[in-house]
Amino acid sequence: MTTPSAAELARALACGKQGCRCAQSVRRGSGEVHCPAHADGKPSLDVVQREGKVLLCCHAGCGQSAVIEALRRRGLWAESRSPNGHRSHAKPRPAGPPRVMSTFHIDGDVLEHWRQDLADDEGRLAEKRLWWTTNGGLGLNGRRVAALPLYLAERLASAPAGVPAVVTEGEPAGDALLARRVLAVGTVCGAAATPSDDALRPLLGRPVILWPDNDPPGERHMRRIAAALARLGHADVRIVHWADGPAKGDAADFTGSADEHRALLDAAEPWQAVAADAAEVADGPAPVLVLLADVQPEQVRWLWPGRIPLGKLTILDGDPGLGKSLLTLDLAARVSAGRPMPDGTYGLGAPGGVVLLSAEDDLADTIRPRLDAAGADCSRIGALTAVCADDKERFATLGDIAVIREAIARLGERVDARLVVIDPLMAYIATDAHVDADVRSRLAPLTKLAAELGVAVVVVRHLNKAGGGNALYRGGGSIGIIAAARAGLLVAPEPGDATGERRILACTKSSLAKMPPALAYRIEAGAAGAVRITWLGETAHTASQLLASPAGDDERDAVAEACGFIREALMDGPRPSNDLQREARAAGIADHTLRRARESLGIRPQRLGFGSAGEWMWALPEQASREPKMSKMPIDAHPLGMGIYGADGHLSSPARSLGVEEGEL
């Protein structure tokens, strides 16, 4: 076979579940689908076609060779060839041409289930590859394999009601029983899945005998079918126990006489007597238990590495007038244009789509001009402005989760949506935001939507009127809001900024990564008078410091005096912190005031040297940007280009290495 196109792979690897973002990839012919190399509950394999080549990238960490080999096992990728053009036989090779095991005609489409056996060097069956085609193309065109009819189910309608139907796993076992003139059907979904209720309904009204493959997955497969039949009201179900059968053997492997075959079927025991899991037949709720050994670890994917995760909820808190909405538009512009985040990192490998829910800003005179000023590609950004029902428009809320999903899907027909902004939360929550249970009931569907579609959801929220305290408790509404989020951000004025223009973006919560440093920014006029954000780099501020209770006049004066002391002391370059603390005490400056002044100036102490000889140094931010990174110097690196020996041939001291007098350290 030839290597399939991206569109063919997208159809073949789609799960067919309603709402899954792999359906968007099928419509576009490229995008994220389920990776065949691991148990991929959320689509993580990017399939794109460029310049005639199919490119594969699994964001969960599977290597390209592992993905291609998994595709080969499904018959979806061409065999590898050696340099001389011949097939490599280091791995199992085809034991014959592929063959069609079953054919279904559904809604005008022809579905075929293919199988190809692979043999080892001695000609023994090593593995089998199975795949589906629809009208000759790979995949099921979005259909769920569990929803397909049972193989040979058309024979049930003409058979007498009292004749038992034997259910097998797969078509070959069903064919083997048919050759013995036994009324049989076969499942086509594999042992890991269960046929749908519609697929099983033709069995109702007649005795059913389940013949599982002779292995644990086969047993579980048939027990689930028995439970499904019981749920549909069918009680006459028995299970075959072929104690002498080969490992993994099925009805096709039975070689006994007709009498022995009949005796084995007659000995089948009622399902209720042999079921291992009573929950499968219980009338009430049953637990859904996932064994962690069966869970494939996945890496967290990021819209903004360390700050805004994909598939999760992020809360952006702040008082009015600080640029929260403008900040979200800056992020939207970067996502739409495929540009790096404000700290230079990339979360996405390509431009993405953005859905905006904005209750406070006008699209024409505010949002669009700001996006243009930020360099956005507005063809990739959509705004959900209302919900249309019964020919009337109304305001959308978080209760309209299906509408939000559809908006994301419509944008997804043009480009993969990666960011959803809800600004502000209180306008959309449509419930009492201070009642924890109500809040969680509104946010739970939103967080589920984010996870299913792999989009980052950023929710803007105002701060409450409480002063100081833990930053996690300063957001408006219930604590359940920040609890539901995996990341939290805060915007606040920069303390001690005389201009009043600098703002700080700090992290309040980071459940999935190390707490990132804060970033400074200011708001400036852009094109045509629209404002935009200019990012100013990292600062030493923390969210708790930004929300600390305002200092009184005396304390503000003391901090300002300490700032002046530090600037004067560091005028000539970096100084050891111990010296500064000693001199500050002598000048009557308290340690906590000196610390607040240091934080206000954005000074981040760095360690020079190692072990007992090392010490902490202070430098003004403008000096630190020019000085060597003291804490990251290799052992044999020395400032100012000096070696371990000074100009006089003697070992150089740290003081000499810094270019200061010996006594100043």
Side-chain angles (χ1 to χ4, degrees), residues 1 72 77-81 87-88 92 94 116 118 129:
M1 65 176 291
R72 285 199 182 107
W77 198 269
E79 290 285 344
S80 60
R81 295 180 179 270
R87 285 183 176 175
S88 171
Q116 184 173 48
L118 302 180
R129 293 176 179 168

Side-chain angles (χ1 to χ4, degrees), residues 129-412:
R129 293 176 179 168
L130 305 172
W131 67 94
W132 287 91
T133 63
T134 301
N135 301 326
L138 287 174
L140 290 170
N141 277 1
R143 293 182 176 90
R144 293 175 55 230
V145 67
L148 297 181
L150 299 175
Y151 177 57
L152 301 176
E154 67 277 4
R155 295 178 174 271
L156 296 174
S158 59
V163 176
V166 181
V167 181
T168 68
E169 179 187 333
E171 298 96 330
D175 287 335
L177 292 179
L178 181 63
R180 289 179 176 266
R181 299 183 179 276
V182 174
L183 181 63
V185 294
T187 65
V188 296
C189 57
T194 306
S196 67
D197 288 354
D198 287 341
L200 295 176
R201 281 195 174 93
L203 294 171
L204 303 181
R206 69 174 64 251
V208 174
I209 300 175
L210 306 176
W211 190 327
D213 283 9
N214 200 15
D215 57 14
E219 291 280 350
R220 291 194 294 268
H221 179 53
M222 290 302 170
R223 287 206 306 269
R224 292 197 304 272
I225 292 175
L229 289 170
R231 189 177 64 251
L232 294 174
H234 192 58
D236 192 358
V237 180
R238 294 180 291 157
I239 293 185
V240 170
H241 287 276
W242 186 17
D244 299 330
K248 300 184 179 182
D250 58 23
D253 298 307
F254 188 89
T255 58
S257 66
D259 290 340
E260 292 171 330
H261 191 273
R262 190 179 304 108
L264 183 62
L265 294 178
D266 290 342
E269 300 178 5
W271 168 71
Q272 291 90 340
V274 298
D277 189 351
E280 290 183 333
V281 297
D283 293 331
V288 178
L289 182 67
V290 177
L291 186 65
L292 269 295
D294 297 333
V295 176
Q296 181 71 24
E298 296 180 358
Q299 293 182 337
V300 176
R301 293 183 292 163
W302 297 92
L303 181 83
W304 185 354
R307 289 181 173 86
I308 301 178
L310 287 169
K312 313 291 181 184
L313 182 65
T314 298
I315 303 296
L316 174 61
D317 289 325
D319 281 324
L322 298 177
K324 297 188 300 298
S325 299
L326 182 60
L327 191 151
T328 64
L329 295 180
D330 179 83
L331 296 178
R334 294 171 185 275
V335 171
S336 69
R339 294 178 13 236
M341 289 292 122
D343 59 352
T345 59
Y346 280 89
L348 303 175
V354 181
V355 175
L356 302 176
L357 284 77
S358 177
E360 297 180 344
D361 292 323
D362 185 81
L363 294 180
D365 63 23
T366 303
I367 292 179
R368 176 61 193 270
R370 289 180 175 183
L371 288 171
D372 289 340
D377 182 347
C378 290
S379 68
R380 297 189 175 103
I381 302 176
L384 176 58
T385 58
V387 174
C388 184
D390 299 326
D391 296 326
K392 295 181 180 179
E393 290 189 357
R394 61 172 176 80
F395 189 75
T397 71
L398 293 188
D400 298 308
I401 199 69
V403 176
I404 298 173
R405 180 190 294 275
E406 179 62 21
I408 297 171
R410 289 188 183 183
L411 184 68

Side-chain angles (χ1 to χ4, degrees), residues 429-441:
I429 199 165
T431 189
D432 189 341
H434 294 84
V435 178
D436 192 72
D438 292 349
V439 166
R440 292 178 185 268
S441 68

